[in-house]
Amino acid sequence: MTFKSRINSFRRKLTHSITKNVGNSYSEPKKGDLEIEAIKNVLIIRPNHRLGNQLLLTPIVQEVLNTFPNCTVDLFVKGGVAHPVFENYDRVDRIIKLPRKPFNNLFKYAKSWISVKNKKYDLVINGDKNSSSGRLLTQQAKAKFKIFGEVTEEIQNKYPDYRHISKYPVYNLRYYLQKLGLDYNSKDLPVLDIKLNEGEITGGKKILDDLVKNDKKTICIYTNATGDKCYSEEWWVTFYQRLLKEYPDYNVIEMLPIENISKINFKAPNFYSKDIREMGAVLRNTAVFIAADNGVMHLASASLVPTVGFFSVTKEEVYGPYGNGSFALNTNKTDIDAWFEAIKVILP
């Protein structure tokens, strides 16, 4: 672990220990206090700048909008990536952005916090139970109904997938509303979704068609990832060669990162875009997306593409893709034969 990583780990543990009891003094509403029609202003807090974390927020936003038909949602986030992610969410009203480097922008940082305290909300949801700032903001926000993010034992016992970072906020909201006397919502959980429109999807198809120049179905891979999550060049070349052997009647293309890195040495047709919605639109037109755990993996999932995520460092039960036939594979516990057997579920 690097010195910077040790410092960040210490900082997180310290702030968590300081804020772990935040919300204990909050007076829980009583059964019958909440009326669905009366919830009009909702704040969801997820102060993280990474693309993946903003995409992982989309299920709880959908759940809120589906549950409260008269409401609009404000989001408290970090950085600007939430704007394209939620661009087609008509009832997302305001996106409050913390600067990515708060100590260089103390005025903007303070202004963002103050803007939360100055508005009255009907419901506030902390979207990350491990976020100390999220808990503090939930405490300070003006609202009668507040969900601080802690997962109850009842939820843990009932739902084996409660650890997933996108799922437990939805379970928490459903459990909270049930405690207040509402019927429990037993519908399928929302999946990640950036709500691509037909024009965007058509544009993505044109880009893909210009790249492959045939009518065959397309497999897309993304060989980059951050830190230890990134597999070696040898690993990816072996996987790519096996992919060509198993699926000779498919196109195989590679989406490139901004760093213009290819772990297969640019052997496949490739493309790159700075526009995440355009990236998602291209992916929407593919048959499957395959990558290690990273933000683009979540983008593919949010573009409603069957997504295969490879995990070796991070926990697949927390970050794995789901919905639309997607699944995660732990490469420490399985081999390449098992991976391709699993992929056959999507591509027979």
Side-chain angles (χ1 to χ4, degrees):
M1 183 181 290
T2 65
F3 177 73
K4 182 179 179 180
S5 298
R6 290 196 295 269
I7 291 295
N8 287 335
S9 177
F10 174 77
R11 177 183 58 79
R12 284 193 294 268
K13 289 178 181 179
L14 177 63
T15 53
H16 182 71
S17 66
I18 294 172
T19 60
K20 65 180 180 180
N21 294 319
V22 169
N24 289 354
S25 60
Y26 168 60
S27 179
E28 289 282 351
K30 299 181 179 60
K31 184 176 289 190
D33 281 357
L34 186 146
E35 296 180 0
I36 292 291
E37 296 76 13
I39 302 298
K40 296 181 179 179
N41 295 300
V42 179
L43 174 66
I44 301 176
I45 300 168
R46 186 71 169 92
N48 187 290
H49 71 276
R50 293 186 180 276
L51 170 62
N53 285 304
Q54 298 306 315
L55 293 164
L56 289 161
L57 193 63
T58 58
I60 183 60
V61 174
Q62 294 172 70
E63 180 75 9
V64 167
L65 295 175
N66 292 339
T67 303
F68 305 108
N70 297 331
C71 86
T72 58
V73 169
D74 286 357
L75 300 175
F76 189 97
V77 296
K78 183 181 286 188
V81 75
H83 285 284
V85 168
F86 293 97
E87 182 177 308
N88 287 349
Y89 279 72
D90 294 339
R91 289 161 56 204
V92 168
D93 185 31
R94 187 170 61 136
I95 297 178
I96 307 164
K97 299 180 297 183
L98 282 178
R100 287 186 57 177
K101 297 181 178 180
F103 292 108
N104 295 340
N105 299 274
L106 290 175
F107 176 75
K108 289 183 178 178
Y109 190 87
K111 185 179 179 181
S112 298
W113 278 68
I114 292 170
S115 69
V116 170
K117 297 183 67 175
N118 286 343
K119 182 173 179 178
K120 186 175 181 181
Y121 292 96
D122 300 305
L123 170 66
V124 177
I125 299 171
N126 176 27
D128 180 6
K129 59 184 172 58
N130 296 315
S131 171
S132 300
S133 56
R135 294 181 64 83
L136 286 170
L137 274 164
T138 305
Q139 173 82 349
Q140 293 182 15
K142 297 176 182 177
K144 181 176 183 179
F145 304 103
K146 297 182 179 183
I147 301 176
F148 285 87
E150 294 301 328
V151 179
T152 67
E153 186 175 347
E154 184 174 340
I155 292 174
Q156 295 177 21
N157 292 335
K158 189 173 182 180
Y159 301 103
D161 58 350
Y162 78 91
R163 293 186 64 193
H164 197 282
I165 196 168
S166 275
K167 296 181 180 182
Y168 73 74
V170 177
Y171 286 137
N172 272 357
L173 175 59
R174 293 181 177 186
Y175 176 76
Y176 182 80
L177 296 179
Q178 185 182 37
K179 285 201 307 178
L180 293 179
L182 279 70
D183 292 337
Y184 187 80
N185 181 0
S186 58
K187 294 179 181 178
D188 291 342
L189 300 185
V191 298
L192 278 67
D193 192 355
I194 59 171
K195 296 188 180 297
L196 292 166
N197 60 39
E198 288 303 317
E200 290 173 318
I201 296 169
T202 300
K205 184 177 187 307
K206 185 179 186 306
I207 293 172
L208 182 60
D209 288 346
D210 289 344
L211 180 65
V212 298
K213 294 180 172 56
N214 62 54
D215 295 328
K216 295 192 295 185
K217 292 182 179 180
T218 298
I219 299 167
C220 182
I221 62 174
Y222 183 85
T223 63
N224 195 47
T226 56
D228 294 340
K229 294 189 292 184
C230 190
Y231 292 90
S232 69
E233 184 173 302
E234 179 184 7
W235 189 98
W236 271 112
V237 168
T238 301
F239 179 82
Y240 174 65
Q241 291 172 344
R242 178 71 177 267
L243 195 62
L244 293 177
K245 179 181 176 181
E246 295 283 344
Y247 295 100
D249 296 328
Y250 283 74
N251 301 307
V252 179
I253 66 169
E254 182 180 12
M255 175 178 281
L256 298 177
I258 191 172
E259 299 87 355
N260 197 39
I261 294 170
S262 170
K263 294 293 184 178
I264 59 170
N265 296 312
F266 303 96
K267 292 178 180 178
N270 56 71
F271 76 100
Y272 163 74
S273 174
K274 292 182 179 179
D275 184 335
I276 67 168
R277 299 195 67 84
E278 184 176 72
M279 292 165 64
V282 174
L283 295 176
R284 178 66 168 268
N285 287 280
T286 62
V288 66
F289 178 81
I290 303 172
D293 175 25
N294 60 68
V296 181
M297 179 197 76
H298 295 303
L299 176 61
S301 183
S303 303
L304 309 186
V305 182
T307 301
V308 178
F310 287 122
F311 286 73
S312 61
V313 179
T314 46
K315 298 176 180 178
E316 64 270 23
E317 64 270 25
V318 178
Y319 298 104
Y322 67 97
N324 305 301
S326 302
F327 56 84
L329 293 168
N330 187 316
T331 56
N332 297 323
K333 301 176 181 178
T334 54
D335 60 17
I336 192 168
D337 292 330
W339 308 339
F340 278 90
E341 281 299 312
I343 293 170
K344 285 180 182 178
V345 175
I346 300 174
L347 302 178

